[in-house]
């Protein structure tokens, strides 16, 4: 078997933990598998390096920032290789460039364009464990680029795709994906198997175990991912894979809570063709990430528009909408909201899932401010202070604790 194993920042957070990773990798290699390891920087290291850069100026040159932060992953890759060789295993550490990872030129948020796996293959064929510094590649000028925060996941998935690996294991500090955040609902259960789309919904909705872009890439390349804990490697994790008819038997896979959204309502804006295009066009120009949008039927040539934006983008949104203060009756902003989402591919083939969600919140006396649905998701915006209560009630209603 050829397996790609990725270890996140907490899993390589200090020298003892790197030794622990070396033990996991060695065991796998000793069982006769070919192993490619992708590592993150030690926990906190990337932030520390970014702080260093910002010490001198608020706008450090992005090329040098990339060279700087890519070093965090190089440190852990070299240390892991040293640890493995000290245990008598043949290993080699490679930077992104040495691993053949070519990216676009956009420093700090580059995209992988191509991977030349020949060098990795050569080392594997020679019986070596190949260790790769995650999160980085080079652009056409030969400059080091990085792939955006959490980008080591992307490196691992892309390499698994390029090498046609049998599987890609993502080792982290939790032992899998849960039906909801166990800190909110201690009865949350580990999910054995989940589809890429469900994972994407749960990830973007706050279950921050894997970088969303890497799940999208895994879906595109059809790479099976197992999320598991480096502290309990013997325990089976969660398999993220292609949707199967079997998955639809489960009504709901998980409940997500997002408290980082804010609601914007524009009341009594002129109801004419092009008004939404105009407003959302201006928000898009500023890269504001608009999520749920509700517009009701206009009356007296006036319409009401409500939507959500990330809380961090609320101030910018207010600036953009300033000109509409005179072009509408009023604009309301509310950042004490929460978005609760029920996710599951089973919704495609079962009815009544939405009705259950609404009834569950009604029984708890929780008022629903906004609703949006997709094929596999129902999202509801509610008052922030009821977020956790809603999650627990929905978790129980869909019997996810069973
Ligand atoms: N070290 C980088 C970060 O913190 C990449 C990663 O850990 O995946 O974003
Ligand atoms: Mg991560």
């Amino acid at each position: 078997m050829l397996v790609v194993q990725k270890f996140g920042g907490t899993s390589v957070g200090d020298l003892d933990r790197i030794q622990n990773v070396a033990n996991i990798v060695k065991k796998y290699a000793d069982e006769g598998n070919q192993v490619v390891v992708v590592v993150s920087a030690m926990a906190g290291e990337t932030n520390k390096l970014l702080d260093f850069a910002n010490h001198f100026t608020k706008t450090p040159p992005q090329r040098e920032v990339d060279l700087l932060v890519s070093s965090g992953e190089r440190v852990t890759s070299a240390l892991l290789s040293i640890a493995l060789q000290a245990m008598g295993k043949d290993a080699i550490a490679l930077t992104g460039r040495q691993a053949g990872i070519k990216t676009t030129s956009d420093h700090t948020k580059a995209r992988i364009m191509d991977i030349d796996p020949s060098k990795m293959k050569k080392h594997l064929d020679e019986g070596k464990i190949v260790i790769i510094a995650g999160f980085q590649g080079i652009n056409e000028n030969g400059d080091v680029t990085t792939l955006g925060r959490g980008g080591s996941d992307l490196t691992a998935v892309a390499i698994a795709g390029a090498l046609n690996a049998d599987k890609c294991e993502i080792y982290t500090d939790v032992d899998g994906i849960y039906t909801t955040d166990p800190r909110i609902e201690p009865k949350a259960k580990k999910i054995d198997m989940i589809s890429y789309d469900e994972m994407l919904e749960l990830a973007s909705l706050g279950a921050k175990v894997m970088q969303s872009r890497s799940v999208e890439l895994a879906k595109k390349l059809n790479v099976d991912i197992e999320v598991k804990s480096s502290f309990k490697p013997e325990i089976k994790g969660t398999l993220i894979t292609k949707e199967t008819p079997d998955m639809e038997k489960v009504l709901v896979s998980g409940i997500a809570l997002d408290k980082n959204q804010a609601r914007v309502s524009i009341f009594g804006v002129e109801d004419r063709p092009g008004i939404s295009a105009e407003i959302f066009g201006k928000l898009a120009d500023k890269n504001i990430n608009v999520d749920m949008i509700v517009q009701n039927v206009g009356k007296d040539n006036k319409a009401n528009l409500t939507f959500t934006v990330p809380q961090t983008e609320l101030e910018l949104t207010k600036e953009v909408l300033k000109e509409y203060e005179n072009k509408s009756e009023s604009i309301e902003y509310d950042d004490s909201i929460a978005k609760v989402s029920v996710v599951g591919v089973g919704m495609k083939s079962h009815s009544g899932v939405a009705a259950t969600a609404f009834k569950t919140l009604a029984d708890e006396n929780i008022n629903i401010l906004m609703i949006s649905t997709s094929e596999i998701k129902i999202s509801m915006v509610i008052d922030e202070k009821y977020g956790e209560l809603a999650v627990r009630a929905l978790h129980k209603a869909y019997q996810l604790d069973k």
Side-chain angles (χ1 to χ4, degrees), residues 293-333:
I293 301 176
V294 177
Q295 187 191 340
N296 58 4
V297 180
K299 211 181 145 211
D300 306 328
N301 291 324
K302 302 275 186 209
N304 299 336
L305 260 181
T306 297
F307 54 91
T308 61
V309 296
Q311 249 170 45
T312 47
E313 290 164 18
L314 186 58
E315 285 313 308
L316 191 57
T317 304
K318 286 183 184 172
E319 263 172 53
V320 174
L321 294 181
K322 198 130 197 94
E323 62 172 291
Y324 291 93
E325 277 168 14
N326 298 325
K327 296 184 193 163
S328 67
E329 276 152 20
S330 64
I331 305 183
E332 233 179 51
Y333 300 99

Side-chain angles (χ1 to χ4, degrees), residues 6 40-41 46 73 135 148-153:
K6 182 257 168 180
S40 283
T46 307
E73 270 71 8
F135 177 52
R149 299 309 304 268
S152 296
D153 288 342

